Amino acid sequence: MGNCCSDDRGGRAPIGGTPANIGLGNGNDAPNDAVHLFLRSRGYQGLFSQIQLSFSASGLRDRDVLSKSDPMLVAYTRGRDGVLKEVGRTEVVLNSLNPKWINTLNVTFQFEIVQTMLFCLYDVDTQFHQMEVKMLKLEEQQFLGEATCALSEDPFLVISKIVESGMSIPVCKTEVIRNDLKPTWKPVFLNIQQVGSKDSPLVIECFNFNSSGKHDLIGKLQKSLLDLEKLHSSVKGENLVLPTAAGNKVLKSQLFVDTFSESTQHTFLDYLAGGFEVNFMLAVDFTASNGNPRLPDSLHYIDPSGRPNAYQRAILEVGEVLHFYDSDKRFPAWGFGARPIDGPVSHCFNLNGSSTYCEVEGIQGIMMAYASALLNVSLAGPTLFGPVISHAAQIAGQSLANGRHRYSVLLIITDGVVTDLQETKDALVKASDLPLSILIVGVGGADFKEMEILDADKGERLESSNGRVATRDIVQFVPFRDVQSGEISVVQELLAELPTQFLTYMRRRDIKPSY
């Protein structure tokens, strides 16, 4: 079947129709403007919207002998009685197991109706390639498979305060809940400074997410924090309203307040004012991939003109911020991935050259120890993070055991991808229980994708080799590209998550600032 070739590059020519929109219940016409205008004339703005579906498939079964399948997609809607109604067909794509069809499907989406759709794929026999797709008898084609889905909302909430001018200013929003007509969002946190008082009016708007940025308003209501608290106590919902030309239309959709609690939340500055310190620690990558420090193209090259290299600049920019919050200005500093004089490769050696203590005095002390280390070690490898993280965790653990109000921050500066990825994950998971955050700066032009795995910004917590999951995110990774040319500074991005990580640790353990 389908023993034919296409003149199109890659054999992906569409046949059996011209590029067009498939109108839902409207043949091959464009979206039904008459229905659109009728609904809007009755004040139904926002309750429906025209959406356009485009189709592609991958890894289809190959039904042909001497070539690949020639797939076509047929779209159906399923009524409440379960009966299927065909609403459109794509063109046939020749000789492809990963088709991307040109024809699209226009659908009038209605918020309060569950619209189930079925998509069936067929391999069209060669003898039918010159026929219009709407004339093809499906029983004469080979069935490849099917998929089903329900057209649904991707709702999210925006909460705004009303200022004196009457304008609404957003103060927070929820996450987007995909394909759910009965969404339950994660709790949102508001403070009195944001909204004014518990009696201040708030506008709560529910939108349907649109990737274009033009989100559709589903409905809204106006309530104060006090009203929301009463709504929670009543265990009842409040109907959303939708503004129309004839006034506000009350919808069937309701907003429920599942939880409401009021508490005092201390800020990062509250803890610093209460005597908490930030203990700065440093670990520097001395692996051979940095290049010979004596040559100008090395990331460790010390420029006689005094211009700082990538490592020096990272130390200065981060250290100058953090050292203000450390009272004794004595900073643990290590190197890793090098061979000290007359010794084996070490993955955690004291940057100051001492065999007994690791601390140096101030940021300038770090800079001097770094420059001295370059003269006294041989760059080697591989790149291992596990040992330095374990040392930092040990110091953080000692501070915790001694009851000190101290939170440690380890800055790791590296030029390459970590070799001991699983060992590093194990060390980070273990350290997530301690008052410790880890900042990783990637210098040079290496591919740092694996480093991003360690930074749980996408919501996936790290997991150790024994299945234990990190209690919180303690890593922030930033590539320090172009830093040597002075084009960018990423210190703000690097430190942006530190207050949140600090507060997460304190709140989980119910540690309060002492004034």
Side-chain angles (χ1 to χ4, degrees):
M1 173 181 181
N3 182 16
C4 67
C5 298
S6 167
D7 292 333
D8 244 30
R9 182 179 178 183
R12 297 172 61 88
I15 65 169
T18 57
N21 291 333
I22 308 170
L24 177 56
N26 196 26
N28 280 342
D29 298 332
N32 195 325
D33 291 333
V35 173
H36 182 84
L37 291 172
F38 173 79
L39 291 172
R40 287 206 177 275
S41 70
R42 297 298 187 270
Y44 284 93
Q45 292 96 332
L47 287 179
F48 75 98
S49 57
Q50 293 284 336
I51 62 175
Q52 188 178 75
L53 304 179
S54 58
F55 304 102
S56 65
S58 61
L60 298 181
R61 289 181 292 178
D62 191 356
R63 291 291 196 178
D64 293 356
V65 178
L66 299 178
S67 66
K68 297 182 176 66
S69 295
D70 308 316
M72 174 186 71
L73 180 142
V74 182
Y76 301 87
T77 58
R78 189 186 302 275
R80 294 183 178 180
D81 56 2
V83 176
L84 293 176
K85 177 184 178 182
E86 182 178 330
V87 294
R89 300 183 182 188
T90 67
E91 76 281 8
V92 179
V93 176
L94 295 183
N95 195 30
S96 177
L97 301 182
N98 302 286
K100 292 183 179 180
W101 289 280
I102 297 173
N103 286 358
T104 57
L105 175 65
N106 292 311
V107 179
T108 300
F109 172 75
Q110 295 172 276
F111 170 64
E112 295 185 357
I113 298 176
V114 178
Q115 296 165 270
T116 303
M117 301 201 67
L118 176 69
F119 307 102
C120 295
L121 297 179
Y122 294 89
D123 181 10
V124 178
D125 196 285
T126 305
Q127 61 180 308
F128 302 112
H129 282 180
Q130 301 307 315
M131 294 180 61
E132 289 288 329
V133 292
K134 63 182 179 181
M135 302 301 295
L136 294 176
K137 295 181 178 180
L138 298 181
E139 62 270 18
E140 295 178 348
Q141 317 306 322
Q142 288 202 39
F143 180 72
L144 294 177
E146 65 180 38
T148 186
C149 73
L151 297 180
S152 188
E153 291 280 4
D154 296 335
F156 67 96
L157 297 179
V158 175
I159 302 177
S160 305
K161 67 178 181 180
I162 301 176
V163 296
E164 290 183 2
S165 64
M167 292 180 56
S168 298
I169 299 178
V171 293
C172 75
K173 70 176 182 179
T174 68
E175 75 280 14
V176 177
I177 303 292
R178 299 288 184 182
N179 301 318
D180 198 338
L181 297 179
K182 296 183 178 180
T184 299
W185 291 281
K186 296 177 182 177
V188 295
F189 298 91
L190 298 171
N191 59 56
I192 296 300
Q193 289 89 340
Q194 283 179 302
V195 301
S197 71
K198 289 188 70 173
D199 294 317
S200 300
L202 299 173
V203 177
I204 304 172
E205 297 170 297
C206 184
F207 290 94
N208 179 37
F209 176 82
N210 193 312
S211 58
S212 69
K214 297 180 180 180
H215 310 303
D216 298 317
L217 178 65
I218 296 173
K220 61 191 291 187
L221 54 82
Q222 182 172 310
K223 293 288 181 182
S224 66
L225 286 177
L226 191 60
D227 294 331
L228 293 175
E229 185 176 22
K230 292 178 180 177
L231 193 60
H232 166 65
S233 300
S234 69
V235 200
K236 295 180 180 179
E238 183 80 11
N239 291 81
L240 299 179
V241 300
L242 187 68
T244 69
N248 287 337
K249 176 178 176 59
V250 179
L251 307 178
K252 294 181 180 179
S253 307
Q254 290 187 317
L255 178 71
F256 292 83
V257 181
D258 291 338
T259 59
F260 187 100
S261 61
E262 189 173 354
S263 62
T264 301
Q265 294 286 338
H266 298 288
T267 66
F268 183 53
L269 291 178
D270 289 336
Y271 285 94
L272 296 180
F276 277 83
E277 296 182 19
V278 176
N279 181 34
F280 179 48
M281 300 184 284
L282 173 71
V284 177
D285 183 343
F286 285 90
T287 56
S289 54
N290 285 279
N292 188 337
R294 296 174 177 81
L295 301 179
D297 61 351
S298 171
L299 292 170
H300 280 307
Y301 179 66
I302 303 296
D303 194 326
S305 69
R307 180 181 180 181
N309 63 31
Y311 284 87
Q312 290 173 313
R313 182 152 179 198
I315 293 169
L316 287 171
E317 292 198 10
V318 178
E320 284 180 353
V321 173
L322 294 181
H323 88 281
F324 284 108
Y325 307 108
D326 192 319
S327 61
D328 64 11
K329 304 295 188 291
R330 297 180 61 84
F331 309 127
W334 305 283
F336 60 93
R339 182 180 291 104
I341 296 176
D342 299 327
V345 174
S346 174
H347 299 294
C348 187
F349 58 88
N350 296 331
L351 198 64
N352 59 16
S354 171
S355 60
T356 57
Y357 65 94
C358 64
E359 292 183 333
V360 296
E361 294 278 353
I363 300 302
Q364 287 306 314
I366 292 179
M367 299 294 282
M368 293 173 61
Y370 165 69
S372 177
L374 287 173
L375 301 176
N376 294 295
V377 300
S378 299
L379 275 59
T383 304
L384 306 182
F385 283 1
V388 292
I389 292 175
S390 295
H391 271 70
Q394 184 178 3
I395 292 176
Q398 289 173 350
S399 294
L400 181 63
N402 295 334
R404 299 189 64 181
H405 290 173
R406 172 172 285 190
Y407 190 92
S408 297
V409 178
L410 170 64
L411 172 64
I412 300 176
I413 314 175
T414 181
D415 83 311
V417 177
V418 61
T419 305
D420 61 337
L421 183 60
Q422 188 56 58
E423 290 78 3
T424 298
K425 288 182 179 180
D426 291 346
L428 291 173
V429 170
K430 186 176 181 180
S432 67
D433 289 327
L434 298 171
L436 174 66
S437 285
I438 298 174
L439 311 177
I440 305 176
V441 173
V443 297
D447 183 356
F448 292 112
K449 287 184 179 179
E450 286 193 3
M451 297 295 190
E452 295 173 359
I453 297 175
L454 304 178
D455 188 345
D457 282 349
K458 296 182 179 179
E460 296 182 4
R461 295 281 179 85
L462 292 178
E463 185 174 333
S464 68
S465 54
N466 61 9
R468 184 188 172 198
V469 178
T471 57
R472 61 191 180 97
D473 175 23
I474 65 170
V475 176
Q476 172 73 344
F477 169 74
V478 175
F480 214 53
R481 302 189 192 283
D482 301 324
V483 69
Q484 286 179 297
S485 62
E487 295 177 12
I488 59 172
S489 175
V490 296
V491 65
Q492 286 180 299
E493 182 180 354
L494 190 65
L495 297 176
E497 290 188 13
L498 181 57
T500 299
Q501 294 178 0
F502 177 98
L503 291 172
T504 300
Y505 176 82
M506 298 300 170
R507 290 169 181 171
R508 282 178 179 271
R509 286 153 185 79
D510 197 27
I511 301 174
K512 295 179 174 57
S514 53
Y515 298 99

